[in-house]
Amino acid sequence: MTDSLHLWLIPIVPFAGFLVNGLVGRKLPRALVSAIALIATLIPFLQVANIWFHFSSISKPYVENLGSWIVGGAFHADFALQLDQLTMIMLLIITGVGFLIHVYSTGYMAHEDGYWRFFAYLNLFMFFMLTLVLAENFLLMFVGWEGVGLASYLLIGFYFLRDSAAQAGKKAFVVNRIGDFGFLLAMFLMISHFGSLSYHDVFAVVAQHPEWQGGFITVIALFLILGATGKSAQIPLYIWLPDAMEGPTPVSALIHAATMVTAGIYMVARTHAIFDRSPFALSTLAIIGAATAFFAATIGIVQTDIKRVLAYSTVSQLGYMVMALGVAAYSSALFHVLTHAFFKALLFLAAGSVIHAVSGEQDMRVMGGLWKKIPITFVTMTVGVVAISGIPPFAGFFSKDEILYQAFISPNGGKILWFVGLVTAFLTSFYMFRLWYMTFFGENRTPEAKHDDHSHGHSHGIHESPLVMTVPLMILAVLSAIGGFLGVPEGMWGHNEIGHFLGPILDPASRVVGEGPELALAGLSVLVGLAGWAMAHYFYYMKPELPAKLAQQFSAVHRLLENKYWIDEIYEGLIVTPLLLVSRYVLKGLIDTGIIDGAGMAAGGTAQGLGALVQRVQSGNIRSYAGWLAFGAAVLLVVTYFGFTAHFSVR
Amino acid sequence: MLTDSILTLTTLVPAAGAVVVTLLPRKGRAVQWWTLLVSLVTFGLTLHLPFHYVYGQTGFQFEENYSWIQNPAIRYHLGVDGISMWLVVLTGFLSVLGTLASWKAIKSRTKEYYFLFLLQQTAMIGVFVSLDMFLYYGFWELSLIPMAILIAMFGRERGPRTALKFFTYTFIPSALFLVAILWLYSKTGTFDFVQLQAALSANHSLLTAKELCWISTAFLFAFAVKVPVFPLHGWLSDTIFEAPTAMAMVVAGKLGLYSILRFNLGLFPAQAREVAPYMIALSVIGVLYGALIALVQKDVRRLIGYSILSHLSFCTLGIFCFALAGLDGSVYQILNHGLSGSAILILAGFLYERYGTYDMAQYGGLAAKMPWMATLFVITSLSLVGLPILNGFVGEFLILSGSFPHHEVWVAFATLGVILGAAYMLWMVQRIFYGPQSTMVVNRSFPDLGFREQIALWPAVILMLVMGVASPYWMRAIDGAVSNLADTAAHTVSYLETR
């Protein structure tokens, strides 16, 4: 492969779209704005697809160096792009799902003010996300890493006149910055130990030193984990993601489900050479992942806002992926990234279609019985619900089961992890079918004469969405239905294509190929998924009055879950408020105003007095100034000659 | 030949312009237009430097070196290296921005204002190009006086009082500084920087260790107040609060930081290393302290004031770690801060020109009414919080990554500043531009950025992006100039030199 792939075009085209729409979009007709935005995403998709079709003839990793970016001392970082199997998968997801969501958005946002702004930001996001996965060094990955955070900030705060939206955008950015702090320190450590941030250099150095186990490698890995918990919404930094639902729903689908939040997974998979050297870091990951998966799922079962249920479900599913990373099953994590991108994008977009249908309402308690009125949305969403609940042969089953299986058999895993994952699978199925029943079945609880001027200004009664919205739903539904066949494990008579594809760069040679309990475990997880469905059926279809009673009976537990374990309040009370109080009263009040300014005022007062004195003698500013000169000189001489010098000495 | 006298020309054009200002009529906008012309010419002249600079050559360039006074031996010695060249260009650029920022803000006593404004430009450029200590000191002091008078005359609430505070803070150390210069002269017989440097490094018996310690401390004290370094920042918040925008833009940062690099590191490297641990500690405290106090400010100007303390502390951190990358980053960060810090002050000033208040509680939801203002404000804020592909990130990253191997724990703490920086800047953006529209914003409508304002800001904003992606262009000159200031351990060999 000698001719250039022109990888740089992949991110640059969306950036051009951003510039055009961002600078002049306000004055353009909507059709043109959407055409620009769509073309700016379609071109990268076609280019990626083209690369995909002759991928086998490319020598990997393929690197494209576009020149120096930062040079300082011995350090340098280039604008260098890289293509390998891992990047390929991510590119397909980002451009493919990204394009579908752009199409969907032209319908969903059709009646919104700031239409141009929305598409400009969306293209900006594509630029950064593509940069993130195409980067050949950590610093350029960090450009994408922070950049997607910026796009997310702008899009969460899209309805910026809403206080909650502005607040949520800022929260997302600042919490992500805590993760970025970890990423930065990891990079500093890499520079001082490996002398470079280029993937090639870093991994070559690591490979040359098999004796590096744990130690500073663990420290680097732990800082990377901090970064990943920020971007991929894991404990302890997951708190921004549920609030991020303030953004328009396509944003939730693209950024907060399918792509950006998987950046942490991608980053750990990318650096697996480092994680492989640190069992401690891997275990940390596994525990964080399992805990987050379970914890978020428990919150998910009591949420009543349709998007929030999906948000907690995303946190929970990301937990599965992190758990997979933690048991060194990197390609399994990536498989779940792929299927999750399909079914979670589908679920969010379908939820958006529901919200669109009921004029902006997001509370499931006032939905119900919608299946007849919005049949396409209903059918496609059903596929998504079944897929995430782990019911075969839909996509989520294969990828989730693979993770559970790896957790079970991996030397880094264990039966506890597996069990937590299994319980979470049950909860997942339960809360997803709960959502399904509450939204589509039972009595319609939508107030008929609802004429609010919510974000979706027109209320013509409940209606199915236009084709630009339903066609992406259908495509994603098909992918969610069959996407799992890409990774059917050998133990289930499959070929695990995705595992073999990613294997050369992600998996250790020792990867266990399933025999023994794989089928039994799979059977168990199917049962668990069905049990969750059955329970949701019982509670929300057969006896819809029961949940309220139970909530009353176990009110303490219910309140705990409903208030999300008060984690936000705990952070607020333990970190934010004390920090602000100390800053206000101790740093600003006591030290700055009291001591430092006090000393300055005293000096100023003295100066004023002395200045007046000098002025009286000599009159005129310049002379008092000269007087001060003399005074200063005198002080210095006095100090010098009277022996304070003893305190200073030069070694 | 332009190249032979370019530095003199660049330095004196603003002063000559100032003289002409006194002759112009008070009515109309003649003074403004004239000042704009002078600033543009000055900026144009400064641009001569990077285009004719010989990259890869160490030492000073564009030198002018004449004997001025025989006894004492004072020379008229000008010259720039890779550090000061860019600072001169920055000063020229900010002089144009400052004029545009003052255009409407200064309504009365315009002649006085623009006279002093131009004098201030001469003083600042003079500081950067002087290579004779006596000459340098003259410009250094000259830079304080117009500043103090302008603050006194045009302060928003308590101008004279603040001016006095500023003057006291900066003047007392300057007096000590002068004594130190004279002392140095009495021992070495020269004011010339190049000769001093040679003499001090060649002959260690010229001054005792104790004397060197005192002299370098006097230097550092004067510069550290001017930066300012924590805890010498007492003047900063009030000055930024009171001063006219064009003065607030230039009052902190570059003069002091440049002088530390040039004199403390250049003349007294051993003493600078001696105090480095303390300076690093103070820098890290300054980063966090400034950020935390910025977090609880209610006034835009004061918030920016403390953010300046926080940002500049990054620079001193990079300087006193003596790592090549850190020094590169520090110099770059001086430029970045000059650019982005000025832009944010100008933007805030434009808000003030409209609404007459810097109190954030009175703003809210302004983005709906002034989308361009909001856009540029957000971009500038992102530059200040160090978002990659904008300029601030390059400097911040080089400072932190370069310093990290030497002082891991301190640098880790300083890195916390990136979290706090995002918190206070975005919170400010949120309070002014987002959320429900406040009563003031609803009741009083003003146009979005006008032509003059766009002209002032777009070049700065574009430069933020360019400096964020094409930093090697600037670093070529900086790297060469700071490489002899860094520790010469193996890991600080410049990447640029190896190519």
Side-chain angles (χ1 to χ4, degrees):
Chain A
M1 191 69 205
T2 44
D3 51 328
S4 172
L5 296 176
H6 294 292
L7 292 180
W8 60 276
L9 276 171
I10 298 175
I12 282 300
V13 171
F15 190 73
F18 156 71
L19 282 183
V20 173
N21 273 341
L23 290 173
V24 296
R26 188 197 313 266
K27 298 190 181 81
L28 300 178
R30 286 185 181 220
L32 192 54
V33 168
S34 32
I36 291 166
L38 287 180
I39 290 168
T41 1
L42 183 61
I43 291 174
F45 174 65
L46 294 176
Q47 194 185 350
V48 167
N50 181 40
I51 292 173
W52 168 245
F53 285 122
H54 60 265
F55 189 69
S56 54
S57 66
I58 300 166
S59 64
K60 290 164 277 281
Y62 166 87
V63 175
E64 211 172 272
N65 196 329
L66 308 168
S68 283
W69 170 30
I70 295 182
V71 177
F75 174 78
H76 74 106
D78 297 340
F79 285 113
L81 304 179
Q82 166 184 299
L83 181 74
D84 64 2
Q85 289 87 338
L86 180 56
T87 300
M88 192 69 231
I89 296 263
M90 294 302 288
L91 285 178
L92 284 168
I93 296 173
I94 297 161
T95 56
V97 176
F99 178 68
L100 288 177
I101 293 174
H102 272 70
V103 173
Y104 175 95
S105 303
T106 58
Y108 187 85
M109 300 299 287
H111 308 283
E112 299 286 333
D113 292 335
Y115 187 80
W116 60 279
R117 197 159 53 87
F118 179 83
F119 281 99
Y121 294 164
L122 223 48
N123 277 353
L124 181 68
F125 170 77
M126 295 294 284
F127 161 68
F128 281 123
M129 191 70 209
L130 292 165
T131 306
L132 195 160
V133 297
L134 278 166
E136 197 280 328
N137 59 60
F138 287 95
L139 207 60
L140 197 56
M141 191 210 279
F142 192 69
V143 169
W145 186 269
E146 284 251 293
V148 290
L150 165 67
S152 167
Y153 164 77
L154 293 169
L155 283 162
I156 295 169
F158 181 74
Y159 303 113
F160 59 82
L161 289 179
R162 235 166 38 202
D163 212 21
S164 53
Q167 192 70 27
K170 187 195 70 189
K171 179 175 175 183
F173 197 89
V174 173
V175 172
N176 265 294
R177 271 266 160 149
I178 299 174
D180 299 349
F181 163 78
F183 198 135
L184 279 171
L185 284 182
M187 285 198 285
F188 301 159
L189 279 162
M190 286 191 224
I191 293 174
S192 57
H193 289 282
F194 309 140
S196 172
L197 287 179
S198 145
Y199 297 158
H200 173 268
D201 298 352
V202 168
F203 300 135
V205 173
V206 172
Q208 279 161 16
H209 293 272
E211 75 281 8
W212 286 347
Q213 301 283 344
F216 76 90
I217 295 277
T218 296
V219 180
I220 294 178
L222 289 177
F223 278 125
L224 288 175
I225 290 175
L226 180 60
T229 57
K231 201 57 79 195
S232 290
Q234 298 294 293
I235 292 172
L237 298 180
Y238 72 92
I239 48 163
W240 63 271
L241 185 59
D243 289 17
M245 297 302 120
E246 289 288 340
T249 308
V251 171
S252 315
L254 177 61
I255 300 185
H256 305 122
T259 55
M260 181 185 91
V261 287
T262 62
I265 316 298
Y266 166 80
M267 183 262 276
V268 175
R270 176 60 75 199
T271 52
H272 72 91
I274 290 171
F275 282 86
D276 283 337
R277 299 291 182 81
S278 175
F280 179 77
L282 281 177
S283 304
T284 309
L285 266 181
I287 292 166
I288 288 176
T292 309
F294 175 76
F295 179 82
T298 59
I299 299 175
I301 55 180
V302 297
Q303 295 299 308
T304 50
D305 180 310
I306 188 168
K307 285 183 70 183
R308 287 206 170 237
V309 176
L310 293 177
Y312 280 103
S313 137
T314 304
V315 175
S316 175
Q317 296 296 309
L318 289 164
Y320 273 120
M321 299 172 207
V322 169
M323 185 167 95
L325 297 171
V327 299
Y330 306 110
S331 59
S332 310
L334 260 293
F335 183 28
H336 202 54
V337 167
L338 178 73
T339 59
H340 180 257
F342 295 150
F343 63 69
K344 189 52 69 66
L346 168 63
L347 285 168
F348 265 116
L349 294 185
S353 179
V354 170
I355 295 166
H356 198 75
V358 294
S359 308
E361 184 56 63
Q362 301 191 6
D363 191 338
M364 298 188 297
R365 287 170 299 190
V366 293
M367 291 178 183
L370 296 176
W371 71 275
K372 265 189 208 157
K373 297 183 176 162
I374 44 173
I376 302 173
T377 306
F378 168 66
V379 171
T380 52
M381 190 155 194
T382 305
V383 175
V385 170
V386 176
I388 193 177
S389 302
I391 291 164
F394 293 88
F397 165 74
F398 292 103
S399 54
K400 188 190 291 182
D401 201 57
E402 178 72 10
I403 290 173
L404 291 178
Y405 178 62
Q406 291 292 334
F408 190 83
I409 58 165
S410 161
N412 303 332
K415 302 202 168 41
I416 300 175
L417 284 179
W418 167 78
F419 185 71
V420 173
L422 193 69
V423 173
T424 306
F426 169 75
L427 294 174
T428 308
S429 170
F430 174 70
Y431 68 69
M432 284 312 301
F433 277 103
R434 168 179 175 267
L435 178 151
W436 191 62
Y437 283 116
M438 284 180 82
T439 309
F440 292 110
F441 294 95
E443 303 262 308
N444 185 338
R445 302 177 293 274
T446 318
E448 264 323 310
K450 196 174 172 211
H451 283 295
D452 66 348
D453 54 354
H454 208 278
S455 47
H456 293 272
H458 59 129
S459 62
H460 314 302
I462 299 164
H463 55 95
E464 182 59 280
S465 300
L467 274 180
V468 284
M469 289 168 67
T470 49
V471 169
L473 287 180
M474 293 180 225
I475 295 171
L476 285 168
V478 170
L479 290 170
S480 302
I482 63 169
F485 292 113
L486 285 170
V488 182
E490 282 85 351
M492 286 183 222
W493 313 284
H495 299 289
N496 196 6
E497 275 86 357
I498 193 158
H500 290 298
F501 181 71
L502 289 170
I505 55 163
L506 284 190
D507 286 323
S510 59
R511 185 185 160 82
V512 191
V513 177
E515 284 287 317
E518 181 152 19
L519 278 176
L521 292 177
L524 202 55
S525 67
V526 174
L527 281 182
V528 156
L530 291 172
W533 183 355
M535 198 163 113
H537 185 75
Y538 183 73
F539 279 121
Y540 291 93
Y541 190 72
M542 293 166 68
K543 303 251 168 110
E545 70 285 351
L546 207 56
K549 276 188 197 158
L550 278 177
Q552 238 172 10
Q553 208 166 355
F554 301 98
S555 68
V557 180
H558 187 255
R559 277 189 28 234
L560 183 71
L561 295 179
E562 202 174 40
N563 291 293
K564 305 153 233 165
Y565 299 91
W566 284 284
I567 295 292
D568 274 308
E569 288 76 8
I570 291 170
Y571 281 176
E572 189 78 30
L574 286 184
I575 299 170
V576 181
T577 311
L579 198 68
L580 290 178
L581 286 177
V582 167
S583 301
R584 174 162 297 136
Y585 295 106
V586 180
L587 296 183
K588 180 172 171 246
L590 183 69
I591 298 180
D592 214 62
T593 312
I595 298 172
I596 290 173
D597 214 37
M601 293 297 252
T606 324
Q608 204 160 15
L610 284 169
L613 200 71
V614 178
Q615 260 178 16
R616 201 170 300 163
V617 179
Q618 301 183 301
S619 84
N621 271 325
I622 303 301
R623 292 198 185 163
S624 80
Y625 172 66
W628 262 106
L629 253 169
F631 174 73
V635 168
L636 188 85
L637 289 175
V638 168
V639 169
T640 319
Y641 284 104
F642 289 91
F644 291 101
T645 49
H647 296 289
F648 282 86
S649 63
V650 178
R651 254 175 255 152
Chain B
M1 291 298 288
L2 191 57
T3 301
D4 291 339
S5 53
I6 180 71
L7 294 180
T8 300
L9 206 56
T10 314
T11 312
L12 293 184
V13 161
V19 173
V20 175
V21 164
T22 61
L23 308 172
L24 291 173
R26 209 168 264 282
K27 297 266 179 201
R29 291 213 173 268
V31 176
Q32 278 96 327
W33 282 108
W34 171 251
T35 309
L36 183 61
L37 180 70
V38 173
S39 302
L40 283 169
V41 170
T42 311
F43 178 47
L45 287 170
T46 65
L47 284 180
H48 179 86
L49 302 177
F51 288 111
H52 293 83
Y53 189 83
V54 184
Y55 292 90
Q57 178 183 315
T58 52
F60 294 99
Q61 302 189 21
F62 309 102
E63 274 187 276
E64 296 169 42
N65 193 352
Y66 314 104
S67 177
W68 182 14
I69 298 169
Q70 287 294 333
N71 191 19
I74 298 171
R75 302 187 67 80
Y76 181 77
H77 188 181
L78 309 182
V80 291
D81 64 357
I83 305 171
S84 45
M85 174 179 74
W86 285 120
L87 290 168
V88 171
V89 178
L90 175 72
T91 309
F93 182 71
L94 293 184
S95 142
V96 179
L97 252 57
T99 312
L100 291 169
S102 310
W103 206 265
K104 266 187 171 170
I106 305 300
K107 297 187 186 79
S108 61
R109 291 182 290 187
T110 47
K111 281 177 75 167
E112 290 85 341
Y113 178 86
Y114 287 101
F115 173 79
L116 291 166
F117 173 85
L118 286 172
L119 208 56
Q120 171 79 14
Q121 307 307 319
T122 285
M124 288 190 295
I125 295 173
V127 164
F128 295 131
V129 301
S130 297
L131 290 177
D132 182 282
M133 292 304 299
F134 198 84
L135 195 59
Y136 167 89
Y137 186 79
F139 282 123
W140 171 269
E141 290 292 290
L142 183 61
S143 78
L144 302 180
I145 298 163
M147 177 69 75
I149 300 175
L150 283 173
I151 294 169
M153 285 175 72
F154 296 91
R156 282 191 291 125
E157 287 169 18
R158 301 194 302 180
R161 198 184 157 89
T162 306
L164 192 73
K165 191 172 177 182
F166 167 78
F167 198 69
T168 315
Y169 258 99
T170 46
F171 182 67
I172 294 179
S174 296
L176 300 179
F177 176 40
L178 177 62
V179 173
I181 292 174
L182 295 172
W183 193 353
L184 205 55
Y185 175 74
S186 72
K187 294 284 182 169
T188 58
T190 179
F191 283 115
D192 189 278
F193 173 79
V194 179
Q195 289 174 16
L196 270 176
Q197 197 175 29
L200 287 173
S201 62
N203 189 348
H204 292 289
S205 58
L206 271 179
L207 289 101
T208 66
K210 206 177 281 180
E211 284 174 316
L212 278 172
C213 183
W214 275 111
I215 292 172
S216 67
T217 306
F219 274 57
L220 183 59
F221 185 48
F223 304 148
V225 167
K226 193 74 176 73
V227 173
V229 174
F230 176 89
L232 303 172
H233 63 275
W235 59 273
L236 181 68
S237 170
D238 283 348
T239 303
I240 298 289
F241 180 79
E242 293 284 346
T245 304
M247 291 296 113
M249 278 160 54
V250 296
V251 70
K254 54 188 177 17
L255 292 174
L257 289 164
Y258 161 77
S259 303
I260 291 176
L261 280 164
R262 173 71 74 232
F263 300 111
N264 281 97
L265 268 62
L267 291 178
F268 316 108
Q271 287 71 27
R273 278 161 179 75
E274 196 77 12
V275 296
Y278 307 104
M279 294 303 290
I280 289 167
L282 291 178
S283 305
V284 173
I285 293 171
V287 166
L288 299 178
Y289 178 91
L292 284 171
I293 296 189
L295 208 48
V296 294
Q297 293 300 323
K298 298 181 176 75
D299 180 281
V300 178
R301 273 288 186 97
R302 288 202 188 275
L303 188 152
I304 296 173
Y306 284 99
S307 85
I308 289 173
L309 174 63
S310 184
H311 284 134
L312 296 177
S313 298
F314 275 110
C315 297
T316 45
L317 174 67
I319 290 172
F320 281 96
C321 284
F322 298 103
L324 187 45
L327 284 161
D328 281 339
S330 289
V331 176
Y332 207 63
Q333 196 65 353
I334 300 172
L335 302 177
N336 291 333
H337 188 266
L339 179 67
S340 309
S342 301
I344 202 83
L345 281 165
I346 293 174
L347 281 157
F350 290 163
L351 278 181
Y352 184 81
E353 281 172 30
R354 288 168 170 77
Y355 291 99
T357 177
Y358 280 117
D359 180 9
M360 283 184 273
Q362 301 202 37
Y363 287 95
L366 199 57
K369 285 196 160 182
M370 302 171 71
W372 280 120
M373 169 79 96
T375 305
L376 296 186
F377 204 100
V378 169
I379 296 174
T380 307
S381 301
L382 292 170
S383 151
L384 285 166
V385 305
L387 187 91
I389 76 159
L390 295 177
N391 54 351
F393 178 71
V394 178
E396 218 169 81
F397 185 81
L398 283 175
I399 289 170
L400 294 172
S401 67
S403 309
F404 185 76
H406 308 264
H407 304 276
E408 297 190 342
V409 176
W410 283 115
V411 173
F413 272 101
T415 309
L416 286 171
V418 305
I419 304 172
L420 297 172
Y424 67 72
M425 285 310 287
L426 294 187
W427 196 18
M428 170 164 77
V429 169
Q430 183 188 342
R431 281 180 284 180
I432 298 174
F433 292 103
Y434 300 155
Q437 296 191 350
S438 69
T439 340
M440 180 182 81
V441 170
V442 170
N443 291 339
R444 298 169 60 192
S445 270
F446 292 100
D448 202 351
L449 293 179
F451 180 70
R452 167 186 61 97
E453 296 169 318
Q454 303 247 10
I455 288 287
L457 289 165
W458 275 108
V461 168
I462 290 169
L463 206 51
M464 287 173 206
L465 182 65
V466 174
M467 288 183 75
V469 295
S471 64
Y473 175 74
W474 285 266
M475 216 52 93
R476 280 184 301 171
I478 296 170
D479 199 69
V482 298
S483 57
N484 55 341
L485 300 176
D487 279 330
T488 47
H491 60 266
T492 57
V493 173
S494 168
Y495 169 76
L496 287 167
E497 280 170 26
T498 60
R499 292 232 289 195

